[in-house]
């Protein structure tokens, strides 16, 4: 993917991270998802005192895009407030691979440095559609 598009995704993820609701962990995460038609959809984590009800940024972005009628995704950028790149949880990995094993997943640190994996690389031997 073009460097300018990657930087656009990173900027969108960084901006939406500011909206994260993380009063329990203090660990805000932002995600920006590039749909097949070029639209960008964002999501941030939304915690709950009953921790199992917490919504991760990655799944929030996917849900936002699906609610808008999207089903094809090219890439996602994920940023947390960390010096190291932060990897998605297992549930998010499964949701990402469901929508595209070849989706590019950019894990971004606070300096804007990133590592790229495909969704399938992050979750080998995932559950798959029949």
């Amino acid at each position: 993917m073009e460097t300018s598009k990657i930087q656009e995704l990173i900027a969108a993820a960084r901006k939406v991270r500011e909206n994260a609701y993380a009063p329990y962990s203090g660990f805000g995460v932002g995600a920006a998802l590039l749909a097949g038609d070029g639209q960008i959809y964002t999501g941030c984590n939304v915690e709950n005192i009953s921790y199992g009800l917490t919504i991760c940024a990655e799944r929030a972005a996917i849900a936002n895009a699906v609610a808008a009628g999207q089903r094809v995704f090219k890439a996602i950028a994920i940023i947390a407030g960390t010096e190291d790149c932060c990897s998605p949880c297992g549930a998010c990995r499964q949701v990402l691979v469901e929508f595209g094993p070849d989706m590019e997943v950019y894990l971004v640190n606070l300096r804007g440095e990133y590592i790229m994996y495909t969704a399938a690389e992050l979750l080998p031997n995932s559950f798959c559609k029949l």
Side-chain angles (χ1 to χ4, degrees), residues 50-61:
S50 176
Y51 230 64
L53 300 178
T54 293
I55 301 166
C56 297
E58 300 91 317
R59 287 182 282 146

Side-chain angles (χ1 to χ4, degrees), residues 1-7 9-10 13 31-36 41 58 61-62 72-79 86-88 92-93 95-108 114-123:
M1 187 166 47
E2 296 175 15
T3 302
S4 62
K5 192 50 109 173
I6 296 168
Q7 292 304 319
L9 277 179
I10 291 171
L33 179 69
L34 179 64
Y41 296 86
E58 300 91 317
I62 293 267
V72 176
F73 307 113
K74 295 180 180 179
I76 188 168
I78 306 158
I79 187 168
C86 184
S87 194
C92 287
R93 291 173 190 222
V95 171
L96 292 172
V97 83
E98 169 90 11
F99 283 96
D102 296 327
M103 184 188 323
E104 295 176 1
V105 181
Y106 294 88
L107 309 178
V108 187
Y114 60 85
I115 329 167
M116 193 278 289
Y117 297 94
T118 65
E121 287 173 327
L122 288 174
L123 189 64

Side-chain angles (χ1 to χ4, degrees), residues 29 39 80 91 101 105 112:
V29 181
Q39 293 274 21
V105 181

Side-chain angles (χ1 to χ4, degrees), residues 16-31:
V16 75
R17 180 180 167 271
E18 296 172 8
N19 297 333
Y21 178 73
Y24 307 105
S25 72
F27 193 77
V29 181

